[in-house]
Amino acid sequence: MDKENENTNEQTTKSISIKKNYIYSLVYKLVAVFVPLLVTPYLARVLGADGNGTISYVASIASYFIVAANLGIETYGQKVIAIHREDSSYLKKIVIEISIMRTIITLVCMLFYYFFFVSDFNQENNVLYAIYIINIVSVVLDFSWFFQGIENFRLLACVNIISRISYIAATFIFVHKKSDLELASLINLISLILPYIFSFPFIFKYIKGKISGKINPFIHLKECLIYFIPTIAVQLYTVVDKTMIGIITQSDFENGYYEQADKIIKLPLTMVTTLNIIMRSRIAYHYAKNEYNEIQDLIKKSTNIMFMLTFPMMFGLIAVSRTFVPIYLGEGYDKCITLIYVLSPLLPIIGISNLIGTHYYTPCDKQWLSTIFLFIGAFVNIVLNSFLIMLLQSIGAAIASVIAELTVTILYIIFARRFISFRQMIKISAKYLIASIIMFVPVFFLNLLLPHDILFLILEILLGIFLYFIVLLLLRTRFVFNLLNSFLKKLRRKKKGENNGYK
């Protein structure tokens, strides 16, 4: 009996831990994405579509060197730390080894970047290229993989909130005209480094004692390369769009339109990928202990949350974008409306592939298979971009992205069917899809009929949320009922506690 109680308490503690970590990590990711989106309307007006397009293109070039410097350490490091988090002396050895290896690789990447993009003083946007060296240097200081591995998402959330609030203040204080393009980039990059500096001292709380064994920095290289190869593929069909738009169209405006639409799509997607980042550590822990029932339970919960969020987000964005884009970005961004229509299916598509990747392929050591699928997706994206961008410019790049992501997701589903049931995914998704479509119809037509101002936009969004959850309740969606019951129980307990305290 005591053993049963201990197991129950352990499961409760794990459940609470996952919920808390999800909230902290959600805040961490939302701050990282949402704060720039708060600044976006200001920068969209001050720098213009062409100015934002220039930054987007240079950032896409720098990102290839950042990916090379990272070398898959973020995913590998999180996994290895999660598995060995109870051995502080071994953790210390891992952190030192990975840090030395990462520093050497980053220095090599910096030299190549400087030689090709900064040393030529006659090159256009040379100063902007030089500023982005800061982004490459920041790789050495980034220990977020360590804190994700030990599931300390609270610290990551706090330091990111501080740094991004600083970013908002500095942007509004110092950036006032189109010629402040380099200054705007510098402020952003410095704010990205601050969380790494703030969080670094806390590492020593977890790595204590003597180091077990000799330091061998490159002992992790082989494993990191396994995780690095997929990131190359991901880079090829996420960032390469912006590079190819810049090269083929020679238009900063087209890159600016694509950048803004992409940012709008990425914000709601953060809510889903954040949950999967947390689950990756927890599933790796359960997988190491052969606790498959717990893994299946976590997969089912994650699938419900993923569909519950992505379908209404997709249909909601399509429904209100005609009003949202001009209010949010200002004049001159009408093309972003069409881009949002095209890109919005990425929400459920990436949601599914991200879930399967983090819940099956990564923790079950199937990275090699995942890598093959990602390269297939990258190949599809580059081939489609080659002629679609010439025909349709940024819209062509958006179509190519959706098809490439869909290709990868289909392959993920087919080859994970023994572990993750496709039938179960369809069954879970049905009610969320129906509720989203029913919500979409009235909101879309209201958006066409009502004046395009912020008050009516807020009313349309609130109506959409209300209709969506009402339909889910009418369809008797079990997961939603469980969430509602859990919330009501906590509310009753809180009231009961307040009454007892009053008495």
Side-chain angles (χ1 to χ4, degrees):
M1 187 72 179
D2 291 337
K3 192 173 182 180
E4 287 181 9
N5 289 334
E6 285 176 11
N7 290 335
T8 302
N9 290 334
E10 186 181 350
Q11 291 298 322
T12 303
T13 303
K14 287 179 180 178
S15 177
I16 292 169
S17 176
I18 289 173
K19 289 176 183 177
K20 284 184 177 179
N21 283 334
Y22 176 68
I23 292 168
Y24 289 135
S25 189
L26 181 61
V27 172
Y28 161 46
K29 288 291 180 180
L30 280 177
V31 166
V33 179
F34 189 66
V35 170
L37 281 176
L38 289 176
V39 179
T40 293
Y42 179 73
L43 293 181
R45 290 163 172 83
V46 173
L47 302 180
D50 55 335
N52 282 288
T54 301
I55 294 173
S56 175
Y57 179 73
V58 173
S60 74
I61 297 296
S63 69
Y64 300 120
F65 294 87
I66 294 163
V67 167
N70 269 309
L71 201 75
I73 288 168
E74 185 175 341
T75 306
Y76 167 74
Q78 182 183 350
K79 181 184 174 182
V80 75
I81 294 296
I83 293 170
H84 299 286
R85 60 186 174 186
E86 293 170 2
D87 186 347
S88 62
S89 62
Y90 190 66
L91 283 184
K92 188 174 185 179
K93 182 175 181 289
I94 293 170
V95 170
I96 292 171
E97 288 174 339
I98 289 178
S99 298
I100 294 170
M101 181 181 70
R102 205 177 200 188
T103 301
I104 294 168
I105 294 167
T106 301
L107 287 172
V108 173
C109 291
M110 279 176 58
L111 288 173
F112 275 99
Y113 177 81
Y114 178 83
F115 179 76
F116 286 107
F117 296 100
V118 182
S119 58
D120 182 5
F121 289 99
N122 296 319
Q123 182 173 267
E124 190 179 359
N125 300 317
N126 183 268
V127 175
L128 196 58
Y129 279 110
I131 288 169
Y132 268 87
I133 288 179
I134 296 171
N135 215 4
I136 302 172
V137 173
S138 70
V139 172
V140 177
L141 304 172
D142 181 10
F143 286 89
S144 58
W145 51 273
F146 175 82
F147 294 107
Q148 287 170 359
I150 61 172
E151 299 187 56
N152 188 348
F153 293 92
R154 180 181 179 181
L155 174 65
L156 295 176
C158 291
V159 295
N160 273 275
I161 288 170
I162 293 168
S163 94
R164 300 316 274 168
I165 288 173
S166 303
Y167 165 66
I168 294 173
T171 299
F172 283 107
I173 291 169
F174 297 109
V175 180
H176 300 294
K177 52 187 182 297
K178 198 163 189 173
S179 58
D180 291 335
L181 184 143
E182 289 89 0
L183 181 59
S185 297
L186 182 62
I187 291 168
N188 182 38
L189 294 177
I190 291 173
S191 73
L192 292 175
I193 290 181
L194 287 178
Y196 307 152
I197 296 170
F198 292 154
S199 60
F200 179 73
F202 292 92
I203 292 175
F204 300 102
K205 178 182 175 183
Y206 301 95
I207 51 172
K208 298 176 181 177
K210 293 182 180 179
I211 298 170
S212 56
K214 292 182 179 179
I215 297 294
N216 186 353
F218 290 94
I219 197 171
H220 304 279
L221 182 61
K222 185 179 177 181
E223 284 291 326
C224 285
L225 285 172
I226 294 171
Y227 292 93
F228 171 60
I229 294 169
T231 62
I232 298 173
V234 171
Q235 190 79 355
L236 288 175
Y237 71 83
T238 53
V239 180
V240 77
D241 294 344
K242 297 167 187 177
T243 307
M244 291 184 76
I245 289 170
I247 293 170
I248 295 171
T249 68
Q250 293 293 306
S251 170
D252 291 331
F253 284 97
E254 287 298 317
N255 239 329
Y257 301 140
Y258 190 87
E259 175 72 15
Q260 303 302 351
D262 187 56
K263 281 182 181 178
I264 291 168
I265 294 294
K266 291 288 169 65
L267 173 61
L269 190 61
T270 302
M271 296 183 187
V272 181
T273 56
T274 297
L275 172 67
N276 292 334
I277 287 170
I278 295 164
M279 291 302 184
R280 185 168 62 194
S281 293
R282 184 53 58 99
I283 286 175
Y285 179 77
H286 286 309
Y287 186 75
K289 294 179 176 292
N290 297 318
E291 296 173 345
Y292 296 108
N293 289 333
E294 286 83 353
I295 293 172
Q296 288 294 334
D297 185 51
L298 290 174
I299 289 171
K300 192 172 181 180
K301 288 178 181 177
S302 296
T303 305
N304 268 283
I305 294 170
M306 185 269 295
F307 283 124
M308 185 178 70
L309 293 175
T310 57
F311 279 134
M313 288 171 179
M314 177 183 73
F315 285 101
L317 275 172
I318 295 171
V320 303
S321 61
R322 287 169 61 89
T323 301
F324 176 74
V325 168
I327 289 174
Y328 183 66
L329 298 175
E331 295 181 4
Y333 289 91
D334 290 347
K335 196 167 187 177
C336 290
I337 298 170
T338 307
L339 285 168
I340 289 171
Y341 290 163
V342 177
L343 290 171
S344 59
L346 287 177
L347 289 165
I349 292 170
I350 294 178
I352 295 168
S353 64
N354 191 266
L355 184 146
I356 297 173
T358 54
H359 288 60
Y360 174 65
Y361 288 98
T362 299
C364 296
D365 293 322
K366 300 283 185 183
Q367 295 92 342
W368 62 272
L369 190 57
S370 173
T371 301
I372 293 171
F373 300 154
L374 291 171
F375 272 107
I376 292 170
F379 176 76
V380 170
N381 193 40
I382 292 170
V383 170
L384 291 175
N385 272 332
S386 299
F387 63 88
L388 285 176
I389 292 175
M390 285 191 289
L391 293 172
L392 302 169
Q393 297 183 312
S394 56
I395 294 171
I399 294 169
S401 289
V402 173
I403 295 172
E405 290 284 2
L406 183 60
T407 302
V408 173
T409 299
I410 290 169
L411 291 170
Y412 267 38
I413 291 169
I414 291 170
F415 287 87
R417 63 186 182 276
R418 291 183 181 178
F419 197 83
I420 298 175
S421 170
F422 180 61
R423 286 185 180 181
Q424 186 182 66
M425 290 188 81
I426 294 293
K427 187 179 178 182
I428 291 171
S429 69
K431 291 180 179 179
Y432 299 117
L433 180 59
I434 291 167
S436 298
I437 293 170
I438 292 172
M439 171 272 292
F440 167 79
V441 174
V443 174
F444 179 76
F445 283 104
L446 278 174
N447 190 256
L448 291 176
L449 297 171
L450 293 175
H452 290 185
D453 63 47
I454 192 165
L455 178 61
F456 286 107
L457 176 63
I458 293 169
L459 290 173
E460 288 161 12
I461 293 170
L462 293 175
L463 174 65
I465 294 169
F466 175 76
L467 287 175
Y468 177 67
F469 283 103
I470 287 296
V471 174
L472 285 179
L473 292 173
L474 291 174
L475 292 172
R476 304 187 67 79
T477 311
R478 184 182 297 177
F479 185 76
V480 176
F481 270 105
N482 290 340
L483 285 177
L484 186 61
N485 287 333
S486 177
F487 173 75
L488 292 173
K489 281 180 183 177
K490 287 180 181 178
L491 197 63
R492 281 195 288 267
R493 275 196 223 108
K494 188 177 179 182
K495 285 185 177 180
K496 189 177 179 180
E498 287 175 356
N499 292 333
N500 289 337
Y502 179 75
K503 289 176 182 179

